[in-house]
Amino acid sequence: MRPNYLLGPGDMVQIRVLEVEEIGDRPFRVESTGEINLPLVGPVTATGLTVDQLQAELNQRLKRFVVNPQASVILVQFRSDPVFFVGAFRLPGIYPLTGRRTLVEMLTIAGG
């Protein structure tokens, strides 16, 4: 993952916070509104933030509930971006780019 990757709707992050059982260690999807709705903290705007920035924001908000909070955020699924294959492909069209697919994988799908 690029360190400057900006989160957006459709991304899924796994959030782990020590000493906060309400959040636990589970994945949360960035909703179409750009927010992640977390127990205890409520809605947090994630769109436009890097993973590090979201982690810092969570730590800041959790200070109301936990002394020295230690949240960790891991991007587990990228949002689906469209990839257009036009021209001399066996199956030209629009394909979703999800996860960590490579260019070769995408070309194979389109029959390039």
Side-chain angles (χ1 to χ4, degrees):
M1 180 186 76
R2 300 181 314 238
N4 59 349
Y5 177 81
L6 298 179
L7 296 169
D11 284 333
M12 187 177 291
V13 293
Q14 184 167 353
I15 299 174
R16 178 180 301 150
V17 183
L18 299 175
E19 300 180 21
V20 180
E21 293 178 16
E22 293 85 355
I23 294 176
D25 181 11
R26 62 187 184 140
F28 293 90
R29 185 166 306 277
V30 179
E31 301 296 331
S32 60
T33 61
E35 295 177 331
I36 298 172
N37 196 9
L38 297 172
L40 195 67
V41 178
V44 177
T45 300
T47 294
L49 299 179
T50 64
V51 169
D52 290 341
Q53 289 171 330
L54 177 59
Q55 190 169 292
E57 175 67 22
L58 291 176
N59 284 327
Q60 184 64 34
R61 288 184 179 217
L62 286 166
K63 285 182 180 179
R64 294 178 22 213
F65 309 102
V66 180
V67 176
N68 194 23
Q70 297 179 3
S72 67
V73 178
I74 300 169
L75 182 63
V76 293
Q77 184 178 5
F78 296 93
R79 66 183 163 269
S80 175
D81 288 324
V83 177
F84 297 84
F85 288 101
V86 181
F89 290 95
R90 188 170 37 86
L91 301 168
I94 303 171
Y95 294 87
L97 177 61
T98 55
R100 297 178 183 219
R101 288 204 169 149
T102 65
L103 176 60
V104 172
E105 289 173 325
M106 293 304 294
L107 289 172
T108 301
I109 291 169

